[in-house]
């Protein structure tokens, strides 16, 4: 829900088996609509890319509480491993937990000079559904998302992060649905977004 946006404490459970993607929107309006309705839509190829990534992290991986959780990115407690919102999709026992991974989407409006927020893809793409909430009615498909951060982070704060698989280009110039690899660079971006404290955002004047 919207009240969970911009958490004070960094959620380390988001770092487990996570893949990170760039999302580029043509206008702020569509970002507002995504925040309001909890959905997104890309191009056909973009939707296919994100759906494939989502499926790749859905097979649960078992993590034991007895092994120091070294395979879970340094998370140390059961609460670190399993956020309350995930209890319906992950199975916890006394000895460990079967965890699914995450798909995190870094949103920006083209030519805005800002990273506008981060959302998690929380379900597969429905390729046949056509939403009427976007400015451009050509888009088909619907992706359920949960917004985690809604804030304008200046692009210069992440411009130093270069992606080898894209000829070492800055992450700020990557195209829509480009994957941020290795995952450590996506984690670095996520921490920058979390730590950036100015409250103004693309939805600052909106009521949700």
């Amino acid at each position: 829900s919207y009240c969970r946006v911009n958490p004070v404490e960094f959620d380390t459970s988001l770092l487990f088996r996570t893949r990170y993607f760039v999302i580029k929107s043509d206008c702020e309006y569509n970002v507002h609509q995504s925040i309001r309705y909890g959905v997104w839509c890309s191009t056909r190829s973009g939707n296919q890319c994100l759906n494939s990534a989502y499926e790749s992290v859905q097979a649960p991986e078992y993590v034991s509480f007895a092994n120091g959780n070294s395979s879970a990115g340094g998370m140390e407690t059961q609460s670190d491993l399993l956020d309350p919102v995930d209890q319906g999709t992950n199975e916890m026992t006394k000895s460990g937990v079967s965890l699914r991974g995450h798909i995190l989407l870094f949103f920006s409006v083209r030519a805005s000079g800002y990273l506008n927020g981060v959302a998690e893809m929380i379900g597969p793409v429905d390729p046949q559904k056509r939403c009427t909430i976007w400015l451009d009615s050509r888009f088909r498909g619907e992706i359920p998302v949960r917004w985690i951060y809604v804030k304008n982070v200046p692009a210069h704060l992440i411009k130093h992060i270069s992606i080898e698989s894209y000829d070492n280009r800055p992450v700020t110039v990557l195209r829509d649905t480009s994957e941020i690899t290795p995952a450590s660079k996506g984690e670095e971006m996520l921490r920058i977004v979390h730590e950036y404290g100015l409250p103004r955002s693309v939805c600052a004047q909106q009521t949700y």
Side-chain angles (χ1 to χ4, degrees), residues 111-191:
S112 69
Y114 291 91
L115 176 68
N116 305 123
V118 183
E120 180 180 8
M121 184 176 175
I122 57 174
V125 176
D126 182 342
Q128 300 304 320
K129 193 161 186 178
R130 188 187 294 273
C131 280
T132 59
I133 63 174
W134 315 118
L135 280 183
D136 192 332
S137 60
R138 294 176 302 168
F139 291 118
R140 171 175 288 181
E142 184 175 283
I143 303 170
V145 298
R146 174 178 72 94
W147 280 82
I148 303 170
Y149 296 99
V150 178
K151 56 174 74 173
N152 280 354
V153 180
H156 70 81
L157 294 181
I158 59 173
K159 193 174 182 179
H160 67 281
I161 300 175
S162 59
I163 309 302
E164 290 183 14
S165 56
Y166 292 96
D167 299 322
N168 286 314
R169 294 177 181 175
V171 69
T172 51
V173 302
L174 297 188
R175 294 182 177 181
D176 183 53
T177 67
S178 296
E179 184 167 7
I180 301 166
T181 57
S184 59
K185 296 194 175 184
E187 178 181 337
E188 180 182 357
M189 285 181 61
L190 187 64
R191 291 186 182 277

Side-chain angles (χ1 to χ4, degrees), residues 13-23 46 49-58 100-107 118-125 143-148 177-179 190:
S13 71
L14 289 173
L15 306 180
F16 181 70
R17 294 179 61 205
T18 303
R19 295 177 66 177
Y20 304 87
F21 290 84
V22 168
I23 298 295
C49 172
L50 294 176
N51 197 62
S52 176
Y54 179 79
E55 291 178 350
S56 75
V57 299
Q58 285 308 291
R100 290 175 171 81
H102 303 275
I103 300 297
L104 295 189
L105 311 175
F106 291 90
F107 280 75
V118 183
E120 180 180 8
M121 184 176 175
I122 57 174
V125 176
I143 303 170
V145 298
R146 174 178 72 94
W147 280 82
I148 303 170
T177 67
S178 296
E179 184 167 7
L190 187 64

